[in-house]
Amino acid sequence: MQVTFKIWRQEGPKDKGAIRAYEVDGLTEDMSFLEALDHLNELLVLKDEKVIAFEYDCREGICGQCGVFINGRAHGPHDNMTTCQLHMRSFKDGDTIVVEPWRAASFPVIKDLIVDRSAFDRIIEQGAFISAKTGTAPEANAIPIPKEVSDRAMDAAACIGCGACVATCKNSSAALFTSAKINHLNGLPQGHAEEHKRVAEMTYQMEIEGFGSCTFTGACEVECPEGISIINIAEMNARVTKSKVLG
Amino acid sequence: MKLDAKIPEGKLQDKWQNYQVKSQLINPANKKKLNVIVVGSGLSGAGAASTLAELGYDIKCFCYQDSARRAHSVAAQGGINAAKNYQHDGDSVWRMFYDTLKGGDFRSREANTYRLAELSAPLIDHYVQQGVPFAREYGGTLVNRSFGGVQVQRTFYARGQTGQQLLMAAYSQLYKMVRAKKVEMFPRSEMLDLVVIDGKAKGIIVRDLVTGALKRYAADAVVLATGGYSRVFRLSTLAIGCNGSALWKAHKKGAFFGAPSFTQIHPTALPQSSEAQSKLTLMSESLRNDGRIWVPKQKDDPRKANDIPEEERDYYLERRYPSFGNLAPRDIASRAAKERIDAGFGVGRLKNAVYLDFKHAIERFGLETIKDRYGNLFKMYKKITGIDAYKEPMQISPAAHFSMGGLWVDYELMTTVPGLYAIGECNFSDHGANRLGANSLLQASVDGYFILPNTINNYLANEIKADHPTIEHPAFDKAEQEVKSNIERVLAINGTKTVDHFHRELGKVMWQECAMSRNKAGLEKAIQQIKEIRNAFWSAVKVTGDSNELNTELEKALRLADFIELGILMCTDALERDESCGAHFREEYQTEEGEAVRVDEAYSYVSAWEYDSGDFKLHKEALEFEFVKPSVRSYK
């Protein structure tokens, strides 16, 4: 199988990048998309060129480190899937595949396809935890949590922090990411003590990181590899109002 | 040097208590004066960093990923064991201890293994408090399921994302302490050497993976929490970035390597489909709770799985191990699959897989129940293979997975270098020659949260008055210079072959000779072959780009150079052990039925290897079984 990759190359944060084309042959349908890029990189090394910098780690859809724009869509042509789970059988022989980094002001490009998502860590830092020290826990079954409550928390907690929601949003909003974490913790009895403070501080951090506002287009939930619903955003907004009244 | 495991006095049940009573304490004012480096931010690293910070130490935590949340603990799907006995099915700390010791084929310490079981119950309490959404019953209590090698239900889980959920809890707690300015976090940073001053671990050399700059960090103690090294096989269930370099540098600086060859081959990964493959995706072992493993009775059966009638299917695990069936431990299930595949009964395009079938489970429990239990795993399977496993069986195959081996540590989790600790998968401690499913998240967590924070004080108490190290010390100059020249040497070769080429070569040798089944001639040959790969690498590898920039190719080359040397040690260790135990199966030592033959008279010890200028010297820590009698491990 042969394709033409058109890939964003950018030496560093301050450089002006550009799309470069690479014709790649010798691919198979069973290869993952990232393995096709590995293959291209091996060819580049042998041609004495610098490799394309792109991110990955687990390559099984759970670490959240991979993520590029492929033909104008976050994580490629399918809904709810990470880049590492995409296989070349989703493309045809002779296809041209355009590959770009996440585009968002809050995710500056570091090099080629690699962006800096540390803004997410800083949102987490502002309250995505339960302030209890190791060694202070009561017996696990002491607080019963109904299955529906636990399942709902799990649905929200499934976020892998890949940033596709931000990348695909026309406003570069981090509302889906932030709301998922807030609803996970605020939905559980253990998270109640700090619920209002958590909502206020995390949403504030989201704003100062420069993420845009949510206008409910729903684009994020289409790309979210964990299928996290935008209902979470509505719930977060309700919690913000509540925290202003009660917090 | 005589290895002293520092096992505390007393009955098994009292040892940890006795240890803590006698361990030295440090007052809170003095803890502030002490710095600890933690390398790795997975369950053990993040757990240790946050807990040590809560206790008052100043912590620097490093990871090579872009965020602490990516650490590979994230990938564990199935669950975490704890002796809570919530299911009222006869579980206890003792039974869990015994299952783990037996699962490891009696090649781990009684005291360590008991402590693992003992601390499992409070760990579940801890994670629930941290907001982990474990599976619940309608009444609100926690659910359990079974895992391999065990006849009780003691596994807690959060859908198929248990590792991810536990890591999120650990990462959140870590960032809570970042916010409190007690932890400084260094993502995109890779440790490239350990700095030892007057025989004690006092710092590390780190490469900033964005700028390429080499940086020095000094501390009163160094904790390695760098995970497993099965990427030595290239194809494994591990993340692509997982590596053995931190361990290997520490080994070269004096830390003994324990049982390096003990590697778990996981029975339920997706089969390899091409030469270009970079990774073998794991399907959780929990699937074996309800899935049944089989191959056709007829060789090269051309029919589709669903067209093969019941009486023509060989449920070989149920046939060979009737009492444990599909829940036989991993080493046994993997070898049994290999036996069928090698005998020509493999399925799939490359005949390298076996079936994992949910037909009966769906008939029995209904589609909805199976979806609730394993929905995301089935979804993942479909994403990767394009096949709907609700309708036809999955195809699975064994893959390199967990490193039971690692840096040798004593009861305090300290290596043979004073002040250097190894926690989580990167040490050799609790699992012996084979790890039971759902004990990995457990060990990483208890090491980081509960054990290390209660043992490191015993060392640091004596460091308060000692000179605090500074990065101007000549030992830092020397270490940094060595790292620098190593990088320059790799870049200067400018040969004709890629890093991945050599990694594939290494992987093939390791998989062929040092994986599920090993023999003397094969291992001797493998050592020679790996030495040839080493020579070829250092004369023909080509790495483009520079050292002073983000250079993923250089990162891979440095990691591979260490994997090559580690591969030689793994084969050396496997060659030395003339017996079969757990995952270490030497073909010369088996019964007529193909079961492992352990040789307790000669090999009831932990091998601990000392690096000796390119060679390895064996030390032995005898395993003394004071409380249980090692038996022949049978799952029939």
Side-chain angles (χ1 to χ4, degrees):
Chain A
M1 169 173 195
Q2 182 259 324
V3 299
T4 303
F5 281 114
K6 287 191 168 175
I7 297 178
W8 183 260
R9 301 300 305 260
Q10 182 175 340
E11 267 291 298
K14 294 192 179 113
D15 295 295
K16 197 177 164 203
I19 295 270
R20 274 191 59 184
Y22 302 90
E23 269 185 35
V24 186
D25 208 347
L27 302 174
T28 65
E29 293 194 333
D30 282 334
M31 276 177 154
S32 73
F33 176 81
L34 294 181
E35 284 160 6
L37 290 186
D38 289 340
H39 178 70
L40 168 57
N41 270 348
E42 285 201 71
L43 298 175
L44 290 180
V45 169
L46 296 176
K47 284 202 282 186
D48 211 19
E49 287 183 40
K50 283 187 187 181
V51 295
I52 297 152
F54 62 101
E55 296 229 73
Y56 51 79
D57 204 27
C58 78
R59 294 207 182 185
E60 56 180 88
I62 193 70
C63 78
Q65 185 146 342
C66 68
V68 287
F69 245 65
I70 301 163
N71 289 341
R73 279 193 70 179
H75 291 309
H78 305 291
D79 297 354
N80 307 121
M81 189 191 257
T82 59
T83 302
C84 64
Q85 291 172 320
L86 176 65
H87 283 70
M88 292 310 286
R89 61 175 167 270
S90 298
F91 301 97
K92 290 194 301 293
D93 192 42
D95 270 1
T96 296
I97 305 169
V98 182
V99 191
E100 296 169 272
W102 283 168
R103 301 286 189 195
S106 308
F107 289 167
V109 172
I110 294 175
K111 186 174 187 175
D112 296 340
L113 303 171
I114 298 183
V115 299
D116 178 359
R117 284 167 292 194
S118 55
F120 273 6
D121 290 334
R122 292 188 292 274
I123 293 174
I124 296 294
E125 191 182 324
Q126 294 308 316
F129 44 75
I130 286 159
S131 297
K133 288 184 181 179
T134 302
T136 61
E139 180 6 86
N141 263 344
I143 306 171
I145 305 177
K147 184 176 186 322
E148 311 82 76
V149 173
S150 175
D151 281 353
R152 229 177 22 243
M154 179 65 227
D155 289 341
C159 168
I160 59 172
C162 65
C165 49
V166 173
T168 199
C169 175
K170 63 175 181 162
N171 307 318
S172 300
S173 166
L176 192 67
F177 169 82
T178 310
S179 65
K181 189 39 80 179
I182 287 173
N183 293 338
H184 157 212
L185 293 175
N186 285 16
L188 292 170
Q190 287 81 4
H192 282 179
E194 298 163 285
E195 60 178 327
H196 300 312
K197 189 168 181 282
R198 177 177 302 119
V199 171
E201 294 186 351
M202 287 178 67
T203 50
Y204 178 67
Q205 187 67 29
M206 180 174 82
E207 282 172 27
I208 55 177
E209 292 292 345
F211 292 105
S213 297
C214 169
T215 48
F216 280 99
T217 66
C220 51
E221 71 173 9
V222 177
E223 303 299 12
C224 174
E226 295 299 329
I228 292 171
S229 160
I230 56 166
I231 291 171
N232 280 288
I233 303 178
E235 194 175 331
M236 173 178 75
N237 290 346
R239 289 186 194 280
V240 169
T241 312
K242 200 172 150 196
S243 82
K244 281 181 181 156
V245 178
L246 302 174
Chain B
M1 179 179 174
K2 181 157 170 20
L3 288 168
D4 179 9
K6 296 192 225 156
I7 308 286
E9 295 287 304
K11 288 192 284 187
L12 204 45
Q13 294 86 328
D14 300 333
K15 284 183 188 293
W16 179 231
Q17 195 67 35
N18 291 346
Y19 172 82
Q20 291 179 90
V21 168
K22 288 185 184 160
S23 169
Q24 299 183 74
L25 297 178
I26 302 173
N27 88 51
N30 278 338
K31 281 187 188 137
K32 285 182 202 150
K33 298 177 193 159
L34 293 161
N35 297 290
V36 179
I37 282 172
V38 178
V39 184
S41 66
L43 279 187
S44 64
S50 57
T51 304
L52 290 172
E54 286 172 359
L55 288 168
Y57 300 104
D58 271 326
I59 308 298
K60 288 189 173 65
C61 182
F62 300 81
C63 71
Y64 70 80
Q65 299 93 339
D66 77 319
S67 164
R69 67 179 295 155
R70 315 288 183 209
H72 200 56
S73 311
V74 88
Q77 298 159 350
I80 179 165
N81 289 332
K84 281 283 199 186
N85 194 25
Y86 283 162
Q87 303 310 318
H88 203 55
D89 55 0
D91 201 7
S92 63
V93 170
W94 182 271
R95 196 177 286 274
M96 181 166 169
F97 148 72
Y98 187 78
D99 285 344
T100 304
L101 197 71
K102 177 188 169 195
D105 219 352
F106 303 95
R107 288 294 172 263
S108 59
R109 277 180 216 137
E110 285 178 324
N112 280 59
T113 308
Y114 190 87
R115 180 175 60 182
L116 180 76
E118 184 183 355
L119 296 177
S120 65
L123 184 70
I124 297 303
D125 302 340
H126 170 78
Y127 277 130
V128 167
Q129 185 189 38
Q130 293 293 327
V132 172
F134 284 119
R136 300 267 173 176
E137 306 283 2
Y138 285 98
T141 53
L142 290 153
V143 178
N144 295 106
R145 62 185 172 200
S146 310
F147 247 66
V150 169
Q151 287 171 314
V152 295
Q153 294 190 306
R154 66 163 74 103
T155 306
F156 294 78
Y157 62 98
R159 224 163 274 169
Q161 290 196 351
T162 315
Q164 140 101 345
Q165 290 310 313
L166 301 189
L167 186 68
M168 284 307 103
Y171 155 77
S172 301
Q173 207 179 345
L174 180 69
Y175 268 82
K176 177 188 82 184
M177 298 317 291
V178 168
R179 182 179 179 172
K181 307 254 184 284
K182 289 300 289 177
V183 174
E184 207 180 338
M185 186 68 217
F186 297 85
R188 298 192 192 275
S189 299
E190 184 157 7
M191 167 180 160
L192 292 184
D193 209 357
L194 176 75
V195 178
V196 178
I197 299 174
D198 300 330
K200 292 175 175 175
K202 291 291 179 185
I204 59 174
I205 305 292
V206 166
R207 183 166 179 270
D208 178 325
L209 298 180
V210 176
T211 64
L214 297 181
K215 295 180 178 170
R216 307 171 177 193
Y217 297 94
D220 298 292
V222 175
V223 179
L224 299 184
T226 58
Y229 48 82
S230 282
R231 277 280 290 165
V232 72
F233 295 92
R234 181 172 158 88
L235 284 175
S236 78
T237 62
L238 271 65
I240 307 297
C242 288
N243 65 81
S245 288
L247 292 193
W248 196 249
K249 299 304 185 198
H251 176 55
K252 285 180 142 179
K253 287 280 166 88
F256 289 9
F257 214 118
S261 71
F262 286 179
T263 298
Q264 181 164 78
I265 309 300
H266 198 293
T268 57
L270 301 186
Q272 185 180 0
S273 61
S274 80
E275 173 86 352
Q277 198 149 337
S278 57
K279 146 103 194 180
L280 297 171
T281 301
L282 184 69
M283 299 307 291
S284 169
E285 172 170 294
S286 63
L287 293 168
R288 289 202 274 141
N289 260 307
D290 290 309
R292 296 179 70 194
I293 294 176
W294 63 277
V295 292
K297 282 185 179 165
Q298 181 193 324
K299 265 188 200 183
D300 293 322
D301 196 324
R303 290 173 292 182
K304 284 189 181 153
N306 286 340
D307 297 338
I308 300 176
E310 275 302 311
E311 59 278 11
E312 293 177 46
R313 298 175 174 195
D314 177 14
Y315 294 91
Y316 58 87
L317 282 176
E318 297 170 24
R319 168 169 60 79
R320 285 180 67 178
Y321 307 100
S323 66
F324 280 71
N326 293 296
L327 285 174
R330 291 177 178 175
D331 54 338
I332 288 178
S334 289
R335 266 200 304 279
K338 178 179 158 61
E339 189 276 329
R340 284 291 84 189
I341 293 169
D342 288 351
F345 295 91
V347 300
R349 194 163 52 80
L350 301 175
K351 304 276 173 215
N352 60 350
V354 298
Y355 289 126
L356 176 61
D357 202 337
F358 288 85
K359 192 179 82 170
H360 297 101
I362 292 170
E363 282 165 8
R364 187 165 159 213
F365 301 110
L367 188 62
E368 283 315 306
T369 305
I370 297 301
K371 272 190 180 164
D372 190 51
R373 285 181 192 168
Y374 312 108
N376 64 323
L377 297 172
F378 278 65
K379 218 186 274 174
M380 180 164 104
Y381 185 79
K382 185 157 192 207
K383 281 179 185 173
I384 294 169
T385 62
I387 294 168
D388 181 355
Y390 294 111
K391 295 193 177 129
E392 56 180 294
M394 292 181 178
Q395 293 179 16
I396 53 160
S397 193
H401 184 53
F402 185 87
S403 311
M404 277 78 71
L407 293 186
W408 183 91
V409 290
D410 59 22
Y411 191 74
E412 298 183 307
L413 306 182
M414 186 149 84
T415 67
T416 51
V417 176
L420 179 70
Y421 292 79
I423 59 175
E425 188 174 347
C426 77
N427 67 21
F428 175 80
S429 63
D430 305 345
H431 308 298
N434 173 56
R435 176 177 64 75
L436 289 185
N439 266 356
S440 167
L441 294 174
L442 172 68
Q443 185 231 336
S445 303
V446 298
D447 279 7
Y449 283 114
F450 295 158
I451 301 173
L452 182 82
N454 276 301
T455 60
I456 201 167
N457 41 305
N458 206 28
Y459 170 79
L460 288 175
N462 299 317
E463 295 301 300
I464 300 167
K465 291 196 191 106
D467 287 341
H468 294 290
T470 69
I471 56 170
E472 280 78 39
H473 193 281
F476 277 94
D477 293 336
K478 189 163 174 277
E480 185 180 326
Q481 194 49 48
E482 280 168 18
V483 169
K484 198 165 170 243
S485 34
N486 195 43
I487 291 173
E488 283 166 1
R489 193 176 152 212
V490 170
L491 288 172
I493 299 164
N494 197 20
T496 52
K497 295 204 163 75
T498 63
V499 177
D500 283 344
H501 163 82
F502 292 107
H503 203 165
R504 283 189 286 267
E505 296 290 300
L506 175 68
K508 273 180 213 156
V509 175
M510 291 298 292
W511 184 248
Q512 187 60 37
E513 306 297 352
C514 198
M516 264 176 291
S517 134
R518 303 150 173 197
N519 64 64
K520 185 168 185 284
L523 288 163
E524 284 169 346
K525 191 176 80 189
I527 292 172
Q528 280 317 311
Q529 287 173 323
I530 300 172
K531 285 180 177 169
E532 284 159 23
I533 293 170
R534 181 176 63 188
N535 293 341
F537 173 86
W538 284 106
S539 61
V541 77
K542 185 174 178 74
V543 177
T544 53
D546 292 319
S547 61
N548 59 356
E549 62 177 339
L550 192 157
N551 188 341
T552 49
E553 209 57 21
L554 175 63
E555 292 165 26
K556 284 199 292 194
L558 296 173
R559 290 168 192 162
L560 180 60
D562 294 330
F563 273 140
I564 292 173
E565 294 182 15
L566 173 58
I568 298 174
L569 177 60
M570 288 171 73
C571 293
T572 306
D573 183 54
L575 182 60
E576 191 275 335
R577 191 169 280 274
D578 284 326
E579 66 161 349
S580 293
C581 60
H584 171 70
F585 188 78
R586 278 281 297 270
E587 288 159 12
E588 302 94 320
Y589 302 90
Q590 58 179 311
T591 63
E592 276 176 18
E593 295 156 312
E595 303 297 336
V597 173
R598 218 173 58 214
V599 186
D600 285 346
E601 314 78 72
Y603 289 94
S604 186
Y605 61 76
V606 176
S607 57
W609 297 89
E610 181 182 6
Y611 187 80
D612 185 10
S613 45
D615 223 337
F616 309 105
K617 194 172 155 215
L618 177 65
H619 299 260
K620 297 175 184 175
E621 181 207 336
L623 289 168
E624 278 150 29
F625 293 93
E626 207 183 325
F627 305 95
V628 299
K629 202 171 160 294
S631 57
V632 173
R633 183 167 162 252
S634 169
Y635 293 91
K636 290 183 183 290

